[in-house]
């Protein structure tokens, strides 16, 4: 979001809460994550990597982390979640009250797509995973706080119908065995960025708080409107940039319009095209589009280029879970 990986926001939130020993459970993408995060020193933390050989569930991730965690209380923060105001007050409250577990909740319009909690006061009495008929609109946010009793839970539960050890089942075990499981409701905004729409919304919210900073070159035929960030080595030629938006380093924006809520990463070329409310990752290229591109996400080194040749055809190379709309 705003040219920074979602995972980095989570690491920064954990660090800001006073936690400097961080374990990251990694799977197939471990090489990319290790390369991006390193040893954690850039965040003022020490990072340990815990390899999960198969995606066997969040409770399984806790289970294989026991040697790293020992008997200390800990925060479990799902890497695709974004909480704008951080988790510091929740961590401090957990340290003060010392329940066995504390979960974060948020009111949502579509609780059937989340794990849902039933409360008595602030105490959690029951959890339901993606119920067809939700008893409340209180969804589990991807941040959990536990003491060492959770290891009894993750070792006692059995895999769900999905073949995974579910964290909701582990928390329900704590409830059923009379442990103290409490909740706190988030009042600020929170996003689970697992879907394109949520990623774009999170990007929009983060960009809205960025002040203008121009370190690249903007020629006399270009116009900058609103809050715009332009990185070093980037050239803006004959273009209109209307913020809030961010353009990374070593980019070329030529004869183009870049509209609000757009994040353009490093080494991107946008030429002869209009873009807004979109995310373009490193090395991507957009040239000669006849219509404005909006509400889109381009991965690394993706190219969308208009060519004039016969016969007029569409040619696509699309990764897993991709979506293309044409007219």
């Amino acid at each position: 979001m705003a040219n920074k990986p979602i995972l980095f926001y989570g690491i920064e939130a954990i660090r800001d809460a006073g936690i400097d020993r961080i374990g990251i459970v990694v799977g197939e993408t471990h090489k990319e994550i290790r390369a991006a995060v390193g040893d954690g020193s850039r965040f003022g933390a020490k990072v340990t990597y815990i390899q999960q050989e198969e995606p066997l569930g969040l409770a399984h991730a806790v289970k294989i982390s026991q040697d790293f965690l020992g008997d200390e209380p800990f925060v479990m923060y799902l890497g695709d979640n974004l909480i704008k105001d951080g988790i510091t007050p929740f961590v401090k409250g957990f340290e003060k009250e010392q329940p066995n577990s504390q979960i974060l909740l948020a009111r949502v319009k579509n609780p059937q797509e989340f794990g849902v909690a039933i409360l008595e006061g602030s105490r959690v009495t029951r959890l339901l995973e993606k119920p067809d008929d939700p008893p409340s609109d209180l969804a589990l946010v991807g941040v959990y706080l536990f003491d060492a009793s959770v290891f009894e839970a993750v070792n006692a539960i059995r895999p769900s119908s999905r073949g995974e050890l579910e964290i909701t089942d582990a928390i329900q075990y704590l409830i059923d065995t009379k442990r103290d499981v409490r909740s706190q409701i988030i009042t600020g905004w929170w996003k689970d960025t697992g879907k394109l729409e949520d990623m774009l919304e999170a990007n929009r919210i983060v960009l809205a708080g960025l002040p203008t900073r121009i370190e690249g070159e903007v020629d006399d035929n270009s116009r900058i409107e609103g809050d715009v960030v332009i990185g070093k080595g980037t050239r803006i030629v004959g273009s209109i940039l209307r913020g809030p938006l961010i353009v990374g380093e070593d980019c070329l924006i030529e004869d183009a319009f870049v509209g609000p809520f757009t994040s353009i990463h490093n080494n991107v070329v946008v030429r002869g095209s209009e873009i807004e409310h979109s995310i373009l990752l490193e090395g991507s290229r957009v040239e000669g589009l006849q219509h404005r591109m909006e509400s889109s996400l381009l991965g690394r080194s993706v190219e969308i280029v208009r060519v004039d040749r016969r016969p007029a055809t569409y040619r696509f190379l699309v990764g897993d879970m991709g979506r293309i709309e044409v007219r």
Side-chain angles (χ1 to χ4, degrees), residues 162-181:
R162 300 193 300 174
E164 297 184 2
L165 294 179
E166 309 285 358
I167 198 66
T168 47
D169 289 344
I171 298 170
Q172 188 64 51
Y173 176 92
L174 294 177
I175 296 168
D176 294 342
T177 54
K178 308 304 181 184
R179 289 344 200 275
D180 185 4
V181 179

Side-chain angles (χ1 to χ4, degrees), residues 94 98-102 145-147 149 174 178-181:
F94 181 76
Q98 297 186 358
N100 299 111
S101 175
Q102 182 168 301
L145 299 100
F146 295 108
D147 69 6
S149 64
L174 294 177
K178 308 304 181 184
R179 289 344 200 275
D180 185 4
V181 179

Side-chain angles (χ1 to χ4, degrees), residues 286-306:
V286 178
E287 295 195 33
L289 299 190
Q290 291 183 306
H291 303 285
R292 183 172 297 184
M293 185 177 82
E294 64 176 30
S295 302
S296 300
L297 168 63
L298 302 188
R300 294 181 181 88
S301 300
V302 168
E303 297 185 2
I304 300 180
V305 180
R306 180 177 178 269

Side-chain angles (χ1 to χ4, degrees), residues 29 36 61 65 67 73 79 82 101 108 110 166 175 200 257 277 309:
T29 59
S65 302
D67 287 344
L82 185 62
S101 175
V108 297
N110 52 339
E166 309 285 358
I175 296 168
L200 292 172
F257 169 83
H277 193 229
R309 66 184 173 205

